[in-house]
Structure formats: C-alpha cells, structure tokens
Amino acid sequence: MTNFLKKKKCDNPEEVIKYQNSLIELDKIAKMLIKRDLALTDSKEKLIKEKGKVDAVINSLTDGLIMIDLEQKIILINPKAQSILNVTKEEKLIGKVLPELVNFPHIKELYEVLTKTEGHCREKQCELILKELIEKIYEMQTTLVVTETQEIIGTLIILHDVTRERLINKMKSEFITIAAHQLRTPLTGIKWSLEMINTNVITEEEKKEFLDKAYQSNERMIKLVNSLLIVSRLEEGRFVYKFSEIQIENLIQEIIENFKIQIKNKAIGCVFSKPKIPLSKIKADLEKIQIVLENLIDNAIKYTPQNGKIIISLKENNNKIEVSIKDSGMGISKENRERLFTKFFRSAEALKIETSGSGLGLFIAKNIIEAHKGQIWMKSKEGRGSTFYFTLPIN
Amino acid sequence: MANKTKILIVEDDLFLRRLCQKKLEKEGFEVILAEDGREGIKQAKKTSPDLILLDIILPNIDGFEVLKILKDEVSTKLIPIILLSNLGQKEDINKGLALGASDYLIKAHFSPQEIVDKIKEVLKK
C-alpha cells in the first residue's frame, strides 16, 4: 500500500497531502483494530477465566445444585447434587429430561416431590427424604431463574442436608419426654402420699409408712435433678475440670465407708483388694471421679442380692490405673450390654429389681472417664453378676 | 363381699402401686396387683377385673402393647382400661385412646381421690 501511495505522491502536491492524511487515518484504524483485537482476546480469556471461577464455585458448593429449563431438561448439576442423587459422574445427565430419568430412584423421588404441588415452576421449600442405609433428609428449595429482561428460563433446585439437625431435634424432644416422665414419678409419689395423709383415711402406721416413702421420693427427685444438671453441663462442654493429685485407694476407701449402712442392710460381703504398695498418684478431678465411683458402687449394691458379694480391685500397669467393681447380681444380657452406657437406658434386668433408677449414672460415668482420657467397659455373665472396669492414665 | 368391684392395677413403681392399692381398698374396691406387662395380661385373663388401671412404661411388655393385646382378646376386650402414666405428650394420649383406652390420666396431675372419681365415672358407662 505504501508503495502505491509513494508512486502517486509525485503527481500532485494536493493529492500527496490527501494521501498522506489517508495514510495517517489508516494507520490509526489499523492500530485501533489491533488494540480491539487484543482487547477482545483479553476479554475472551477473562470470560473463560470468569466461567471457570463460577464453575469452581458451583462445583465446590456443599449444597446440591440442579438447574432445569422450562422443558424440565437438566442444564446444570453440580457434583454434590450428583452424589446426593446417587448418580456417577460418568452419567451424562445434562440435556436429559427429568421425568425420563426414572431409572435413578433418587431422581424419581426428587421429581415426585417437585411435581407434588402445582407444577415445578412455583417457588417453594419442601422436604426430600431419601432412603439409604441411614435415611437422609434434605431441605429442597426451588427458585425461578429470571433473566434481566424478566424472562423465566428455568428452575433452580437447591438440596441442603438437614439429617443431623433433625436427629438432634428428635433427641431433644425424646430427652424432654423421658426427663418429664422421670421427674413426674417421684413427684406423684409425694403428691399422692400427702393427699392420703391429709385426708385421714389411713392408720397411724400407714401414715408413717407414707411419710417415709414420700421422703425417699423427694430424695430421689433431688438426685435426679442433680444428675440432669450434670448431664446438661456435660453435653454443653461446661463441665469444668478441677484437676488435683489423687490417691485413688484412699478415695475408694472413703466411698465404701459412706455406703456402710446399705452394705450392712443387705448383708453383702464387700471386699476391697488393693495392692500392698501404694499406687501412683493420678491427676484427676476429685469430685467427678467420686461421682463415677459412687455410681458404680451404688449400682453394685443395688443389684446384688441379700448376702451377695462385691469385690473392688485396683491394678497399676502400662502407665494407668485400672479399677474394677464386681457384683454378684443378675448380670446383663448380651443385647443390653451395648446400650448400657447410653443416656436414659435401663436394662430389663435392672428394671425388674429397681424401677426408679434414672438411667443416667453409667452415661455420666462414661463421660467423666472419657474426659479424663480413660476407658470404661463391662463384662457380664447372665445370672452370675457383672464387673465394671475403668482406667485412668497416670499423668 | 363377693360382689365387690374388682380393679387390676398394673404399675411397676412399688410406692405408687402401694398408694393406689390403699386408696382403692379404702374406697371399697377389691384390688389385684401386677408389676409388669406380662403379669398384667396374665392377671387380666385370670381374674376378669371390672376395670384396669394401666401404666405405660413397664418392664417386659409396655402398656400400649398390653392394651392392644387385651383389646384383641375376646375374653378381655370389654374390660374398660384407664391409662395412668406420667408420659404426657399429645401423641401418647392419642395413641392410647386410639387403641381403645377409656381414658388417659397423667399421674402427677391427678390425686388418688380424682383417680377414684374417674374410675367411678368410667364404670357407670
């Protein structure tokens, strides 16, 4: 082009200027074009980058995300949604119509929930329950996808796992039901005996009996409230530990002394076998370990029959102290052993002997021992007794 | 004395059972006691009581189950049963009434006298 212009420029000076101007003009345009081209490439790269970012966000969402168009064709599904709906990555779901995917049981269920109320285009929140090994519950939020020009292009479905929340709620309400029941029972005893005493329909002897029992009910109530408070503090993690050096054999000796009357009343032979040389001191929360020992020894006395035997032993090895409390009660059946340390559980065997227990003692003991990095377990022979063990580390 | 009204109390708590028994005896009822579900069913069949006071949380067979069994059995299905429990959730009450209980009383909300009044009321029907 320049050659052509050069050739021309000799003929006419006016033309030369004209051409020169054109040349400048063209140069400008060329530069602009190059610039625009560069900018375009740049924004294309930027766009790809942006899309990558959005994809990454969608792919790493912890909620399942599915978008369908107006024909119910899947146009977007993130990995979380695929895993929720139990479909592998290899399944090409994009472009397929929801109602046709009935081969996938979870997608079928999703579609059923989606269409249950007046078509899929309504914005709503409902629940999707998927039956798996453990039932999974999802909150399903559907939202219309609307463009800037107010055009509806599809529906966005968000699946949020609420299985755990639901479980906690259920446990909470179960706790309240059982706690209310356990608290009402001793209260009923107190109420009924007070009325019986007050209405004067009973003999002096009966009056004394009922007063005695009412007193015991009240004691039971106080113990239960204390246990419930301990449990609630344990569960909130507010069970502050005050560690001190403990000589555990002295503590056990003291507790046995406190149970002297109960042991004597049932004519139980209680043996405390401790090693001849003093055990190492342990660093533990005295008050809490006392609760554990009291619970275990109280149980042993409660479930050992008249003239039975209790053996409390101590061992030290592998840098820990092991305490065992063996009773000669009725033992615990295999099926009940697993649930023994869970909250409010009471074995059928225990219920037969004592219906008034709270079902909290072993749960509390387990929590305290585990907070001390120890272990608690039991062995039992049906009809012949149980032995409860726990260990506490030496520092 | 042979035609005293017979009441079967199925209650696992020793103290509550004793109090209830005393009150009903003072009121002139004949009282039969059972301390768990299995014993409750056995006594209901054996003694054909005029009314059963039935607790829900019981060793071996729970009160709902006992209620169901007794209402399914020809010889016991006409015996009025009053559930007397400290479970007080709406679902428990509805479940009990749906299974055929004549009434549902929350122990802690009723005094022995009020329980007797309820028994008399149900027996009149």
Side-chain angles (χ1 to χ4, degrees), chain A residues 184 192 195 206 209 213, chain B residues 15 18 22 86 110-111:
Chain A
R184 271 176 180 156
W192 288 7
E195 200 215 46
E206 284 166 343
E209 180 199 336
K213 294 263 176 63
Chain B
F15 184 33
R18 175 106 176 91
K22 265 272 125 25
N86 267 328
F110 285 83
S111 69

Side-chain angles (χ1 to χ4, degrees), chain A residues 152-352:
Chain A
I152 296 170
I153 56 164
T155 306
L156 188 66
I157 304 162
I158 300 161
L159 297 172
H160 179 63
D161 191 347
V162 290
T163 313
R164 209 180 121 73
E165 281 96 319
R166 293 298 151 89
L167 186 73
I168 290 169
N169 279 344
K170 196 174 155 244
M171 276 165 62
K172 235 184 193 167
S173 94
E174 268 176 14
F175 176 84
I176 290 166
T177 306
I178 302 172
H181 180 268
Q182 301 282 53
L183 287 167
R184 271 176 180 156
T185 300
L187 274 176
T188 308
I190 297 165
K191 176 176 169 134
W192 288 7
S193 44
L194 287 179
E195 200 215 46
M196 294 288 273
I197 293 161
N198 204 23
T199 50
N200 267 327
V201 291
I202 49 173
T203 62
E204 278 303 310
E205 244 171 279
E206 284 166 343
K207 219 178 244 182
K208 196 182 171 309
E209 180 199 336
F210 292 159
L211 267 176
D212 258 4
K213 294 263 176 63
Y215 183 81
Q216 283 168 27
S217 281
N218 199 49
E219 287 291 298
R220 197 171 124 189
M221 184 85 196
I222 291 167
K223 265 194 205 161
L224 187 57
V225 170
N226 285 341
S227 296
L228 284 172
L229 285 174
I230 291 176
V231 166
S232 106
R233 265 180 282 155
L234 274 173
E235 287 180 338
E236 282 172 23
R238 283 198 295 127
F239 211 53
V240 185
Y241 287 88
K242 283 177 258 161
F243 286 92
S244 60
E245 298 245 298
I246 296 176
Q247 193 71 50
I248 197 148
E249 51 264 59
N250 298 349
L251 181 63
I252 294 175
Q253 194 67 58
E254 259 172 54
I255 294 169
I256 295 173
E257 283 297 310
N258 294 342
F259 279 108
K260 222 164 59 186
I261 298 166
Q262 285 99 311
I263 293 170
K264 205 181 148 207
N265 282 346
K266 284 180 99 172
I268 291 170
C270 182
V271 180
F272 177 30
S273 82
K274 52 182 174 187
K276 286 192 180 71
I277 30 166
L279 294 172
S280 306
K281 282 189 176 173
I282 46 166
K283 226 174 175 181
D285 185 322
L286 178 74
E287 206 183 295
K288 307 302 181 303
I289 298 301
Q290 199 168 341
I291 293 174
V292 174
L293 284 163
E294 274 170 0
N295 279 342
L296 293 177
I297 295 173
D298 187 36
N299 278 349
I301 297 170
K302 235 190 267 175
Y303 301 116
T304 291
Q306 206 80 21
N307 301 312
K309 199 172 180 189
I310 294 170
I311 303 166
I312 301 164
S313 321
L314 274 173
K315 247 187 348 201
E316 178 177 341
N317 53 27
N318 298 331
N319 218 19
K320 60 189 174 197
I321 285 175
E322 184 186 298
V323 181
S324 70
I325 295 148
K326 182 176 164 45
D327 65 47
S328 60
M330 68 296 189
I332 294 152
S333 70
K334 220 171 182 174
E335 65 215 279
N336 283 331
R337 274 174 226 164
E338 272 174 41
R339 296 178 56 200
L340 209 55
F341 292 96
T342 57
K343 189 165 61 181
F344 284 126
F345 177 75
R346 301 213 55 222
S347 73
E349 293 87 354
L351 271 170
K352 265 180 211 149

Side-chain angles (χ1 to χ4, degrees), chain A residues 44-183:
Chain A
K44 198 180 158 196
E45 265 169 24
K46 262 191 192 152
L47 257 175
I48 292 170
K49 231 177 168 180
E50 271 319 301
K51 191 179 177 305
K53 256 191 218 163
V54 174
D55 281 348
V57 169
I58 290 172
N59 287 344
S60 49
L61 271 183
T62 50
D63 281 353
L65 200 74
I66 304 155
M67 190 176 153
I68 52 172
D69 66 9
L70 296 175
E71 273 84 50
Q72 306 196 340
K73 218 185 278 164
I74 298 176
I75 48 180
L76 187 150
I77 179 162
N78 76 342
K80 183 65 192 178
Q82 283 179 317
S83 96
I84 290 171
L85 295 171
N86 215 359
V87 285
T88 52
K89 270 185 198 147
E90 287 71 44
E91 301 287 350
K92 299 272 180 279
L93 294 179
I94 303 287
K96 288 190 180 144
V97 184
L98 265 190
E100 280 169 13
L101 294 164
V102 285
N103 283 341
F104 302 97
H106 285 358
I107 297 185
K108 200 178 153 212
E109 276 169 86
L110 173 105
Y111 182 64
E112 274 164 13
V113 173
L114 207 55
T115 47
K116 222 184 275 168
T117 40
E118 294 171 51
H120 76 285
C121 279
R122 288 284 292 267
E123 303 206 8
K124 63 192 173 196
Q125 191 170 9
C126 38
E127 207 163 77
L128 177 69
I129 299 168
L130 299 176
K131 299 227 164 14
E132 279 175 31
L133 230 53
I134 308 159
E135 194 180 78
K136 288 284 207 175
I137 307 169
Y138 295 93
E139 223 168 59
M140 189 168 129
Q141 174 87 48
T142 55
T143 326
L144 293 180
V145 183
V146 186
T147 61
E148 272 177 31
T149 54
Q150 299 307 309
E151 188 194 353
I152 296 170
I153 56 164
T155 306
L156 188 66
I157 304 162
I158 300 161
L159 297 172
H160 179 63
D161 191 347
V162 290
T163 313
R164 209 180 121 73
E165 281 96 319
R166 293 298 151 89
L167 186 73
I168 290 169
N169 279 344
K170 196 174 155 244
M171 276 165 62
K172 235 184 193 167
S173 94
E174 268 176 14
F175 176 84
I176 290 166
T177 306
I178 302 172
H181 180 268
Q182 301 282 53
L183 287 167

